[in-house]
Amino acid sequence: MGSVQIVTTILAAAITAVAVWLAVRAVRKMVAVIRLGQPAPERFADKGARARTMLVETAGHTRMLRWGVVGAAHWFVMVGFIVLSLLVLEAYFEVVSPTGGLPLIGGLAVYGLVTEVIAVLGVVGIGVLIAIRVRNRPSRPGGRSRFTGSTMWQGYFVEAVVLAVLVMGFVIRGFKVATDHFEYPLWATPVSHAVGALLPAWPAGVSIAALVKIAISMTWLIVIALNVTMGVAWHRFLAFFNIFFKREPTRPAGSGLGALRPMTSQGKPLDFEEADPEKDQFGVAQVEQFTWKGLLDFSTCTECGRCQSQCPAWNTGKPLSPKLLVLSLRDHAYAKAPYLLAGGGKDLTGEEKATQAQLAHLDVLTLAEADKPLIGDAEAGGVIDPDVLWSCTTCGACVEQCPVDIEHVDHIVDMRRYQVLIESSFPSEAGVMLRNLENKGNPWGAPQNTREDWTKGLDFEVPRVGAADDFEYLFWVGCAGAFEDRAKKTTRAVATLLHEAGVSFAILGEGETCSGDPARRMGNEFVFQMLAQQNVETLNEAFEGREKASRKIVATCPHCFNTLGNEYGQLGGDFEVVHHTQLLAHLVSTGRLTPVQPVDGGVTYHDPCYLGRHNRVFAPPREVLGSAVNGGSGGAGSGIVEMPRNSERSFCCGAGGARMWMEEKIGKRINVDRVEEAMSTGARTVAVGCPFCSTMLNDGVNGKGAGEQVEVVDVASVLLRSVRPDAAAGSREATPTAG
Ligand code: SF4
Ligand code: SF4
């Protein structure tokens, strides 16, 4: 070992020791913070499925690849990082000796080739990511960036380190080539040989370059160890765990979509008959009341801003960005952690748990952070502003897009639960809806005995469950379908089509109440459970003696469809629920409904969030429309003019998450934004599959005074016009029809 190698070896060992010590300390701190969360025992079930999903999602980059170029570039960088670790390890042999290399595999041509190829692709990949970050930097003129609010220096730092370490790998190899100590053939390592041709034959160069490479890598480790909230770096380790522990490991995308996470206390679902607010946790009022998976979510955020770029609230000027919400919760959790780890915290009656002696060593900033209300406006110094909390439509675009499976909607609703159930603090206009749900069983407060009024004037009988001898489908009409004028037309259209196709169905009539979706999304779990239990009882009675496969329900409202199909199981109600567009698509494809008259004038389709993203029903409505537009000869999507934001990336109408019942006082109206997009397609018919979307988009069209140009109408009504133009004629809107 020469004198140069003695120095490089000592320096490499010293910086590595410091970095590893700091990294171990950081990991212990992070684990301690995450363990502050509440139990979530269900996350340990299905370990096999979890492991499979984690491997597929990470190795296949299945979620990242939906962002084409970025996904591909990130895959190469990820693989490059893994290979890079081998090359960093190799550098430790090279600081000791200029001819050093990895034992066993070092020297194999195939190792040389693989590392060479991946390093080249890694350089290209990181170059692309840097270019994308620069091009989308928040400070660029014009436009809103997905990186707005992200800690930009951290992103640039991480990317610069990756690039520098990859480049140093070629420099080390280049010095080995130049000094004739390189063991790999030209065909396997052409870039290294090309770099070597440019470098002098300086033997010490290998060890010095290796030291530089180790120094850069260890500086990275030191920086991230000193910044445990640096998700852009830590996600490389945490993402595996976050994906492994996601709520629904078998769901292909958006594990926090569909059903909401039940309300839990100490890891157990809350039973309202026995729950006690002084002993049980009602929603989340303190950051440590999230589950440990919630705290892991916050720690894993990469600050990529994909969620932000798709959020309807953020895109229309509201203060809510799902990314900024997650970052605020993360920063607060880590800043408050020393207080909590010292034994601090409030019990459920609001009393401090720690003694003064326990908290004596904490600094004033930590104590101030611990004192912050989780929800509160700027004056109250809250972590999350109420306007942020109540701007969410629970559309799920954030969850759908998040590459590391963060479950934003669950966290938002958990915070709403406490605000509604304990603080009674929510937008006052929604109080009327909640009162109507409690007193009348529907959000409009309509008399229950008018639930069947929509059947009046139909030229066939709509049987009620009990009166019907037998029925294949229970037609769940929903409150909008029963009481709201436009939605009633959809209900009538569906009933007419089912009758036309010879499907036997029956309704509950006055036995039906609201599914509870608006109450649950707003955070009023108590009202939700009250309504849901009543409905589950009624439905179980209606289907008595039937197997699950023949407990079939068809619903026109995606919110009911989602609640009945995905959430009633939590309360003992297991049913086969389909959306009407699924059933209609089946009836068309099997020839039981035959579209005869093409609907022209151009049709575009708006995906309702609770049908599309939350339940992945994208094709059936398009199949129905395709057949109607083409008079029976259409396939999925044929003849439909798609909006730029469609299917998984569809833009919310603004009504979900009980926003339908709240005023939209900040920013541009979401429904207007969506209507403008629909109108930009030039289509004269905007087809929807949800009564709330119908209301919102109709309001948007009317607000723009565009009623003469565009009609918003349900998919079922479009099909009826094609199948039974005579029956459809009476159900048309005052607005012009297509064609
Ligand atoms: S659910 Fe929708 S509205 Fe709510 S934060 Fe996510 S993207 Fe925004
Ligand atoms: S998409 Fe996920 S990882 Fe990216 S900023 Fe949003 S929450 Fe963080």
Side-chain angles (χ1 to χ4, degrees):
M1 189 188 282
S3 56
V4 170
Q5 281 72 36
I6 291 172
V7 174
T8 52
T9 303
I10 292 171
L11 290 177
I15 191 169
T16 303
V18 172
V20 169
W21 176 68
L22 288 173
V24 169
R25 208 182 59 154
V27 169
R28 288 167 63 108
K29 180 175 177 183
M30 204 175 273
V31 170
V33 173
I34 291 166
R35 284 170 60 104
L36 287 169
Q38 300 303 305
E42 72 284 359
R43 306 281 178 165
F44 292 93
D46 294 335
K47 291 197 186 72
R50 289 179 184 282
R52 264 193 308 281
T53 302
M54 188 260 284
L55 285 174
V56 170
E57 262 189 45
T58 48
H61 256 44
T62 46
R63 295 174 67 72
M64 285 293 295
L65 281 171
R66 287 185 289 164
W67 281 54
V69 175
V70 186
H74 191 274
W75 187 85
F76 287 121
V77 171
M78 181 194 74
V79 175
F81 179 74
I82 294 166
V83 171
L84 212 89
S85 307
L86 277 181
L87 295 177
V88 171
L89 190 61
E90 190 172 309
Y92 284 93
F93 293 90
E94 290 157 342
V95 290
V96 177
S97 160
T99 58
L102 277 184
L104 301 177
I105 51 173
L108 296 177
V110 65
Y111 171 73
L113 174 67
V114 170
T115 47
E116 184 94 347
V117 169
I118 290 177
V120 169
L121 293 174
V123 168
V124 174
I126 200 70
V128 170
L129 293 186
I130 292 172
I132 288 171
R133 193 178 293 273
V134 171
R135 205 185 57 204
N136 291 305
R137 68 196 179 283
S139 58
R140 83 191 195 284
R144 286 164 80 84
S145 162
R146 68 182 167 97
F147 292 118
T148 300
S150 300
T151 321
M152 290 303 279
W153 75 262
Q154 295 182 347
Y156 287 131
F157 171 73
V158 167
E159 285 162 354
V161 165
V162 173
L163 182 61
V165 172
L166 286 168
V167 169
M168 286 314 294
F170 288 115
V171 174
I172 296 168
R173 286 185 166 189
F175 274 122
K176 282 186 170 174
V177 171
T179 52
D180 222 10
H181 286 129
F182 197 49
E183 55 274 71
Y184 305 111
L186 174 64
W187 63 265
T189 53
V191 179
S192 299
H193 277 87
V195 173
L198 303 173
L199 294 174
W202 183 36
V206 174
S207 299
I208 291 172
L211 174 65
V212 171
K213 181 170 171 162
I214 290 170
I216 294 170
S217 304
M218 292 305 117
T219 303
W220 176 80
L221 198 55
I222 290 169
V223 169
I224 73 163
L226 295 175
N227 292 277
V228 281
T229 56
M230 194 167 165
V232 68
W234 281 105
H235 83 273
R236 287 179 180 180
F237 311 105
L238 297 177
F240 298 103
F241 297 100
N242 214 47
I243 295 169
F244 182 88
F245 288 116
K246 68 175 170 174
R247 176 144 67 84
E248 287 179 53
T250 50
R251 209 185 144 98
S255 120
L257 295 178
L260 267 182
R261 202 177 76 82
M263 204 164 145
T264 57
S265 177
Q266 290 300 316
K268 296 195 191 96
L270 203 65
D271 177 352
F272 275 92
E273 292 196 355
E274 293 168 6
D276 176 354
E278 297 206 346
K279 293 197 194 117
D280 292 305
Q281 186 183 313
F282 277 49
V284 167
Q286 306 285 337
V287 75
E288 66 275 17
Q289 290 177 341
F290 286 108
T291 66
W292 61 262
K293 174 61 171 62
L295 298 180
L296 179 60
D297 270 4
F298 309 150
S299 308
T300 310
C301 176
T302 72
E303 306 194 18
C304 69
R306 283 173 179 75
C307 55
Q308 180 171 288
S309 72
Q310 307 293 308
C311 175
W314 180 257
N315 278 297
T316 53
K318 319 281 188 282
L320 165 65
S321 146
K323 176 184 75 179
L324 299 181
L325 177 128
V326 166
L327 299 189
S328 301
L329 292 171
R330 177 197 69 190
D331 293 347
H332 174 60
Y334 280 84
K336 188 179 178 184
Y339 158 80
L340 295 168
L341 291 168
K346 301 276 191 306
D347 65 19
L348 291 165
T349 60
E351 292 299 313
E352 175 60 60
K353 289 192 269 188
T355 61
Q356 278 197 341
Q358 281 176 290
L359 304 180
H361 68 287
L362 296 176
D363 63 45
V364 64
L365 288 178
T366 303
L367 292 172
E369 190 73 32
D371 235 21
K372 281 185 180 175
L374 189 67
I375 306 298
D377 58 17
E379 206 180 315
V383 179
I384 304 291
D385 192 282
D387 281 336
V388 168
L389 187 68
W390 293 107
S391 289
C392 179
T393 67
T394 69
C395 73
C398 47
V399 180
E400 169 78 32
Q401 287 300 326
C402 183
V404 292
D405 282 319
I406 289 171
E407 295 157 0
H408 315 66
V409 174
D410 284 345
H411 304 321
I412 289 171
V413 174
D414 266 341
M415 290 187 280
R416 285 184 174 185
R417 285 169 170 166
Y418 182 84
Q419 293 302 305
V420 172
L421 295 171
I422 302 295
E423 298 281 323
S424 283
S425 173
F426 51 84
S428 55
E429 22 350 319
V432 180
M433 178 270 287
L434 286 176
R435 270 196 304 281
N436 285 335
L437 286 182
E438 281 187 84
N439 301 331
K440 304 274 180 152
N442 70 82
W444 282 273
Q448 186 71 352
N449 62 9
T450 58
R451 266 205 186 261
E452 291 176 45
D453 281 6
W454 64 270
T455 59
K456 288 179 186 163
L458 288 174
D459 55 10
F460 56 91
E461 275 292 309
V462 177
R464 218 188 282 165
V465 170
D469 292 340
D470 196 13
F471 60 90
E472 185 182 3
Y473 282 94
L474 188 148
F475 182 13
W476 181 270
V477 175
C479 300
F483 301 121
E484 203 270 333
D485 284 344
R486 260 188 228 105
K488 275 167 39 180
K489 289 182 176 132
T490 304
T491 312
R492 290 165 65 88
V494 172
T496 307
L497 288 164
L498 295 184
H499 177 72
E500 181 78 18
V503 175
S504 66
F505 68 96
I507 59 170
L508 287 171
E510 291 181 32
E512 197 182 296
T513 64
C514 174
S515 67
D517 162 87
R520 189 169 221 203
R521 263 74 202 163
M522 206 182 138
N524 198 328
E525 187 74 4
F526 176 75
V527 170
F528 165 72
Q529 291 211 7
M530 184 186 83
L531 294 166
Q533 270 161 2
Q534 188 179 334
N535 284 325
V536 166
E537 216 170 282
T538 309
L539 289 167
N540 280 341
E541 217 171 282
F543 288 122
E544 204 176 348
R546 294 197 192 192
E547 294 292 310
K548 186 185 173 190
S550 54
R551 293 156 74 93
K552 295 192 209 168
I553 298 175
V554 56
T556 53
C557 171
H559 298 269
C560 298
F561 165 64
N562 179 62
T563 306
L564 269 62
N566 295 328
E567 298 188 333
Y568 278 10
Q570 296 168 1
L571 297 164
D574 283 319
F575 314 108
E576 284 294 326
V577 189
V578 292
H579 187 248
H580 69 284
T581 55
Q582 292 174 295
L583 181 53
L584 294 179
H586 169 71
L587 296 174
V588 170
S589 71
T590 51
R592 289 169 71 181
L593 287 175
T594 311
V596 287
Q597 183 166 306
V599 175
D600 59 8
V603 176
T604 189
Y605 174 65
H606 164 80
D607 290 271
C609 303
Y610 275 85
L611 184 63
R613 256 191 309 269
H614 280 277
N615 284 289
R616 316 211 73 71
V617 179
F618 299 115
R622 290 177 166 80
E623 283 163 13
V624 174
L625 289 171
S627 69
V629 169
N630 297 295
S633 59
S638 76
I640 301 172
V641 205
E642 291 286 4
M643 285 185 250
R645 293 175 291 192
N646 65 73
S647 306
E648 287 95 342
R649 292 201 190 181
S650 177
F651 195 70
C652 182
C653 72
R659 287 289 324 168
M660 173 91 177
W661 318 99
M662 300 177 207
E663 284 173 26
E664 197 174 334
K665 296 174 191 153
I666 308 172
K668 183 180 181 184
R669 289 185 63 84
I670 294 174
N671 58 343
V672 170
D673 198 285
R674 186 56 165 167
V675 161
E676 285 169 356
E677 185 176 1
M679 289 177 69
S680 74
T681 64
R684 294 196 62 201
T685 301
V686 180
V688 293
C690 169
F692 295 137
C693 296
S694 171
T695 300
M696 296 304 275
L697 297 189
N698 266 301
D699 286 356
V701 167
N702 294 336
K704 290 189 77 64
E708 293 296 313
Q709 300 147 42
V710 188
E711 181 191 22
V712 180
V713 67
D714 192 274
V715 171
S717 299
V718 177
L719 181 64
L720 186 64
R721 287 171 192 179
S722 185
V723 172
R724 288 264 319 263
D726 58 316
S731 69
R732 294 198 174 206
E733 306 283 340
T735 44
T737 55

